[in-house]
Amino acid sequence: MNKKKLAQFHSQLESIRSELMGGVEKSNLGVKENEVGQVADISDDAARTYNRQLEGELEEQEWKKLKQVDNAIEKINTGEYGICTQCETTIPEARLEVVPYTEFCTQCLSEMEKNPKATTITEKNPFEEN
Ligand SMILES: [Zn+2]
């Protein structure tokens, strides 16, 4: 991958990262927004109340995504960006353009989808036992 392309992915990742950080920070601080919030319209507040119900789940997803983004940035720094973590083949740039923080090539990903238990790191649902 050429440097220009790499720099492009890097800035893309950075912007995704700061977006995620903003979201995570907000939910951690318990939404304090007196200074800036005055300007926000009312619908934003309504949406927030609604979103709060989903927050727990969303937060976890955001953390996961944030971690992936961090990994990807790290890989750019070490020169390993765009290489599948699983099989170590080069991930097509077209795919990276869609999901710049992806860790896996499409083939590995589809295999994981077929067999999710093999890759999920023992996050077993305790209620699942029958
Ligand atoms: Zn792969």
Side-chain angles (χ1 to χ4, degrees), residues 84 86-87 89 105 108:
C84 175
Q86 184 95 338
C87 68
T89 56
C105 67
C108 288

Side-chain angles (χ1 to χ4, degrees), residues 30-125:
V31 196
K32 68 147 202 172
E33 54 175 27
N34 290 329
E35 312 92 52
V36 205
Q38 305 282 3
V39 201
D41 50 83
I42 314 142
S43 64
D44 185 52
D45 222 48
R48 203 183 299 282
T49 314
Y50 171 74
N51 280 337
R52 198 164 288 168
Q53 297 166 352
L54 302 164
E55 208 171 73
E57 196 184 333
L58 275 178
E59 211 178 307
E60 198 190 320
Q61 282 175 4
E62 283 190 356
W63 276 112
K64 276 185 189 163
K65 196 168 160 187
L66 186 62
K67 215 177 152 204
Q68 285 181 301
V69 172
D70 270 345
N71 279 343
I73 292 171
E74 172 99 19
K75 281 180 181 180
I76 286 179
N77 293 331
T78 56
E80 290 166 46
Y81 182 69
I83 296 165
C84 175
T85 311
Q86 184 95 338
C87 68
E88 297 184 352
T89 56
T90 310
I91 301 169
E93 280 180 25
R95 172 156 172 70
L96 292 169
E97 270 161 25
V98 183
V99 192
Y101 49 85
T102 189
E103 293 173 81
F104 306 107
C105 67
T106 33
Q107 206 187 328
C108 288
L109 214 60
S110 71
E111 269 168 40
M112 280 175 211
E113 272 161 20
K114 269 185 256 164
N115 189 13
K117 277 183 185 165
T119 46
T120 321
I121 310 160
T122 44
E123 260 181 80
K124 205 164 184 290
N125 183 349

